[in-house]
Amino acid sequence: MKLYDGGRAPNPRRVSVFLAEKGIEIDKVPVDMGQMGHKSEEVTQLNPLQRLPVLVLDDGTAISESVAICRYFEELHPEPPLMGTDARDRAIVEMWNRRMELNYLAAVAAAFRHTHPAMKEWEVPQIAEWGEANRPKVLSFLELLDQELAGREFIAGDSYTIADITGMIAFDFMKPARIERPEHLTNVMRWYGTVSARPSAKA
């Protein structure tokens, strides 16, 4: 089994943090995304969408999409649980992880991909107006999240889950996207301080 890894890019990092939380070590194949390594023939054969990460099992099965990879490892190594503990809990974690993906990480990514000069060759067409339109969406969602976090420690409840991993990655991605940290949102900042202090955050 080996993981084709894109380093500090948001989605590869989500899997790396997840694995670190689980205490799982796996052989990694580093792919230089700056040199368009994710568009190589080798990666394209594994994932025709040319996205990372990609997990290749011993039988040759290729699994892409970060959450699918995390789900695979959650099934093999259920402790500590990062995707819920029963039907209700799993549904809540899934709900919040999707919210973090669709309303937060996607908006930060759009701002980065459509406004950063380094992404001009990646995001074709690069539409600056769309990137700028997503900046207020980020803050709007964080304001909602701040209200939610007033009553609990973590995003999906009282336990750290994959939703917190997605949220932390999105928060860190705000810096290259040139979106200011929401210092006035005290609950969000308290939450971020907690999750970013975990050893896995360095993965």
Side-chain angles (χ1 to χ4, degrees), residues 66-88:
S66 300
V67 176
I69 294 171
C70 291
R71 171 62 66 189
Y72 178 80
F73 284 110
E74 181 85 353
E75 295 294 327
L76 291 180
H77 306 275
E79 296 295 332
L82 296 177
M83 303 183 87
T85 56
D86 57 28
R88 174 184 177 276

Side-chain angles (χ1 to χ4, degrees), residues 1 21 25 46 73 82 118 121 133-134 145-146 175 182 199:
M1 186 187 308
E21 283 286 334
E25 295 186 2
L46 297 172
F73 284 110
L82 296 177
E121 303 300 323
N134 274 274
L145 183 62
D146 194 68
K175 184 175 181 179

